[in-house]
Amino acid sequence: MKFIETRGNDGSHAQTVSFSHAILNPIASFGGLYSPESLPRLSNVFLQSHLSSHYKELAGDLLKLFAIDIDNEVIEQAISLYEQFDDPANPVPVVKVDDDLYVSELYHGPTRAFKDMALQPFGLLLSSIAQQRNEQYLILAATSGDTGPAALETFKNRANVRVACLYPDGGTSDVQRLQMVTEDADNLKVIGIHGHFDDAQNALKRLLGSATFKQTLQQNGISLSAANSVNFGRIIFQIIYHIHSYLELVRQKAITFGEKVYLNVPSGNFGNALGAYYAWKMGLPVEKILIASNQNNVLTSLINTGRYDLTQRPLINTTSPAMDILISSNIERILFDLFGAQRTKELMTQLNEQQFYQLSETEHDALKQHFCADYCNDEDGKQYLKQTFAKGYLMDPHTATCFKVHDSCRDKPLKSIIYSTAEWTKFSPVIDNALTGKKDAHDIDALKSIAATAHIKIPAVINNLFDKPICQSTVIDKQDIEKEILAFLD
Ligand SMILES: *Cc1c(COP(=O)(O)O)cnc(C)c1O
């Protein structure tokens, strides 16, 4: 599989690049992204022959279809990390919640959020490539809560890779902060910033773009890379679970083979939804992809009006913070796939310069053929959490946004798969409030309250966090970030 650029080629990049090139150097000409030149086709024979296979086997065979430039042995090792999920044979359980509604649980990995689905194997791949090339990498990450723990966990003690992870001090949940500051490994540095997530993110962007910073790293034999969700090395692993979830519905006799389904995705940077789109393009029987947002509903507007508009749109802090995103990076790959590189460059340039773009009517129609979107505010989300718990299913506030879309977006009586992106333990104060009415509880009290209400146990990986020693205590002003990172590398 070869990769081409979403905004066309500027003459200083290769026309097509390999998978390993695209994951080490994720930014392409004109600030674009790498996208697959073509996708493999899923034949019915392929799909049917995997009706009885384990997740790992499906993943291995799918990755073979992609024909990427990574040794089979390394791919096998990467995929075997799914064996460390709760159920080694089935890392992604699909649970029936209603007659027409199934939830695909993507959070059974080490950090209890769906970022593990892609970052776990990605970390091993990146470290293996770095070792083969005898190169050293620094991964910079900025997190509002879920990416940081998952990135630290995957790169912990891996050769040839170091991670510096920035988070807003006081801006994450207790559990998320503890997941980061209790990480004890020489190749990891966790840095709290006095400020908001935007401050951390902007500092990271500045460093990624700084020639002097890169030069200083080069003098120390270190290259810079990023593990954010535009990296195709993450996207490739997000195609697999959509296919798995479909096959799971066939196995559970919810559908017959070939019957179409709705895929309902709680979206932020659109990596999860992009994986669904590629799976559909490859031949998975999908009716439509339903996009759920919170009040930061820029994607809902795009899909419903054809206009992506950042003017007069401040970021709103919601109870589903992993979806508090206004610049949804992976939409660019959809634009590229539907409208080509020239038009994508035009639209993205306009977004940069004028803070909006407007699709033509035909373009908007093409988008609507694939997607339907709606958003769910915090109050409605709370009601869905409560109602669904009353039916016997406990979920997190991100997953809850999909239930609104489930009610508003379907026009055919087909089965739906909702993707659940976090375990209840990661956003416990919000869930406790929805279930018991308690307000502003600390995580530990909210966890205990939910455990008692739902008659379940707090998973050990979460419970133990509260007793673990803090090994990462750096909290600094944002102007000291570069100095702090360079000191870590020394
Ligand atoms: C990252 C994240 C999302 C958004 O996923 P995208 O692939 O960025 O659209 C949704 N829910 C949770 C809990 C997340 O961590």
Side-chain angles (χ1 to χ4, degrees):
M1 177 190 258
K2 289 288 185 189
F3 289 81
I4 50 177
E5 301 162 286
T6 53
R7 301 187 196 178
N9 186 265
D10 66 5
S12 73
H13 290 68
Q15 292 277 353
T16 62
V17 303
S18 64
F19 176 77
S20 58
H21 179 99
I23 77 172
L24 291 176
N25 313 280
I27 300 301
S29 300
F30 308 114
L33 306 173
Y34 285 108
S35 273
E37 191 171 32
S38 63
L39 290 165
R41 182 88 203 146
L42 294 173
S43 65
N44 281 347
V45 174
F46 179 95
L47 287 172
Q48 273 173 320
S49 71
H50 286 84
L51 274 170
S52 54
S53 47
H54 281 182
Y55 195 89
K56 207 183 130 181
E57 205 177 327
L58 172 70
D61 289 344
L62 270 169
L63 289 169
K64 281 192 198 107
L65 291 182
F66 282 100
I68 52 178
D69 62 332
I70 305 288
D71 295 343
N72 245 335
E73 195 184 317
V74 173
I75 293 180
E76 285 300 316
Q77 277 172 14
I79 296 169
S80 62
L81 293 170
Y82 290 124
E83 286 169 7
Q84 289 166 28
F85 282 44
D86 291 339
D87 178 354
N90 186 12
V92 181
V94 179
V95 179
K96 180 173 180 177
V97 171
D98 228 325
D99 283 340
D100 59 356
L101 197 172
Y102 289 73
V103 177
S104 176
E105 298 180 344
L106 303 176
Y107 57 74
H108 289 276
T111 73
R112 321 313 289 168
F114 108 104
K115 300 292 188 282
D116 289 330
M117 289 304 305
L119 275 168
Q120 278 288 307
F122 175 77
L124 189 140
L125 281 193
L126 195 100
S127 168
S128 299
I129 301 172
Q131 287 173 71
Q132 275 171 7
R133 298 184 173 206
N134 202 16
E135 292 170 353
Q136 297 286 334
Y137 282 88
L138 170 68
I139 304 278
L140 290 180
T143 186
S144 62
D146 279 345
T147 302
L152 294 167
E153 188 63 30
T154 193
F155 289 114
K156 178 165 76 179
N157 295 322
R158 288 223 184 276
N160 297 47
V161 181
R162 273 169 275 196
V163 180
C165 175
L166 312 174
Y167 73 94
D169 186 41
T172 69
S173 75
D174 299 342
V175 164
Q176 290 170 327
R177 182 179 51 83
L178 288 171
Q179 283 181 320
M180 294 187 274
V181 299
T182 59
E183 280 288 18
D184 184 14
D186 288 342
N187 70 330
L188 305 180
K189 178 74 186 174
V190 179
I191 303 173
I193 309 293
H194 298 302
H196 301 284
F197 170 61
D198 280 348
D199 297 313
Q201 171 118 319
N202 290 337
L204 178 130
K205 282 189 183 152
R206 205 172 50 241
L207 285 178
L208 286 173
S210 156
T212 51
F213 182 65
K214 268 187 213 155
Q215 222 168 30
T216 315
L217 292 183
Q218 286 297 346
Q219 282 159 7
N220 292 291
I222 300 171
S223 310
L224 204 53
S225 191
N228 57 16
S229 76
V230 298
N231 197 310
F232 203 88
R234 283 177 58 174
I235 303 295
I236 198 166
F237 294 105
Q238 301 195 316
I239 299 172
I240 302 164
Y241 55 72
H242 293 290
I243 298 164
H244 158 82
S245 301
Y246 182 89
L247 293 177
E248 191 61 32
L249 255 59
V250 180
R251 281 194 278 271
Q252 295 185 21
K253 302 200 167 32
I255 54 172
T256 55
F257 183 83
E259 201 175 325
K260 288 186 177 176
V261 296
Y262 289 105
L263 305 180
N264 185 340
V265 186
S267 296
N269 244 331
F270 220 73
N272 196 351
L274 179 70
Y277 176 83
Y278 286 148
W280 184 3
K281 267 202 81 171
M282 287 166 66
L284 198 70
V286 173
E287 173 66 22
K288 228 169 221 184
I289 299 168
L290 313 184
I291 302 300
S293 298
N294 60 28
Q295 286 150 96
N296 296 294
N297 55 2
V298 64
L299 292 168
T300 311
S301 304
L302 172 69
I303 290 159
N304 292 338
T305 70
R307 189 179 173 90
Y308 198 105
D309 197 340
L310 296 169
T311 62
Q312 294 156 7
R313 191 182 260 290
L315 189 83
I316 301 166
N317 290 316
T318 72
T319 54
S320 44
M323 292 154 66
D324 290 348
I325 285 175
L326 293 176
I327 299 182
S328 181
S329 316
N330 276 303
I331 280 285
E332 178 166 349
R333 289 193 166 108
I334 302 284
L335 299 179
F336 171 69
D337 197 75
L338 293 174
F339 315 130
Q342 197 185 343
R343 181 63 173 150
T344 303
K345 180 166 178 250
E346 214 171 273
L347 293 168
M348 297 314 292
T349 305
Q350 197 187 357
L351 184 66
N352 275 339
E353 289 172 359
Q354 298 173 45
Q355 304 295 299
F356 80 93
Y357 61 73
Q358 172 73 54
L359 300 178
S360 72
E361 208 168 308
T362 14
E363 287 168 343
H364 182 209
D365 284 345
L367 197 64
K368 281 193 295 187
Q369 274 177 20
H370 294 92
F371 302 99
C372 174
D374 199 357
Y375 73 100
C376 179
N377 66 29
D378 287 353
E379 189 50 41
D380 288 347
K382 190 169 147 179
Q383 292 310 319
Y384 281 112
L385 262 169
K386 206 168 153 175
Q387 281 168 25
T388 310
F389 180 68
K391 288 186 196 163
Y393 190 73
L394 179 62
M395 63 180 165
D396 98 294
H398 300 79
T399 312
T401 62
C402 295
F403 281 69
K404 166 85 181 293
V405 179
H406 181 73
D407 285 343
S408 63
C409 263
R410 293 167 310 139
D411 46 20
K412 291 190 184 159
L414 299 171
K415 302 286 190 285
S416 283
I417 301 171
I418 283 179
Y419 290 91
S420 181
T421 47
E423 188 178 61
W424 60 276
T425 54
K426 292 214 76 172
F427 300 95
S428 56
V430 178
I431 301 170
D432 188 32
N433 176 254
L435 303 189
T436 70
K438 286 188 206 116
K439 273 201 177 130
D440 303 322
H442 285 294
D443 280 32
I444 186 65
D445 300 319
L447 286 166
K448 286 178 186 160
S449 168
I450 299 166
T453 308
H455 309 291
I456 49 178
K457 272 192 165 162
I458 305 171
V461 276
I462 298 293
N463 216 9
N464 296 344
L465 285 172
F466 295 91
D467 300 323
K468 269 184 156 179
I470 308 283
C471 354
Q472 305 268 1
S473 52
T474 307
V475 180
I476 56 173
D477 287 332
K478 55 188 173 189
Q479 62 269 21
D480 297 330
I481 292 171
E482 181 167 351
K483 201 170 70 192
E484 193 68 40
I485 293 176
L486 290 175
F488 158 61
L489 296 177
D490 253 351

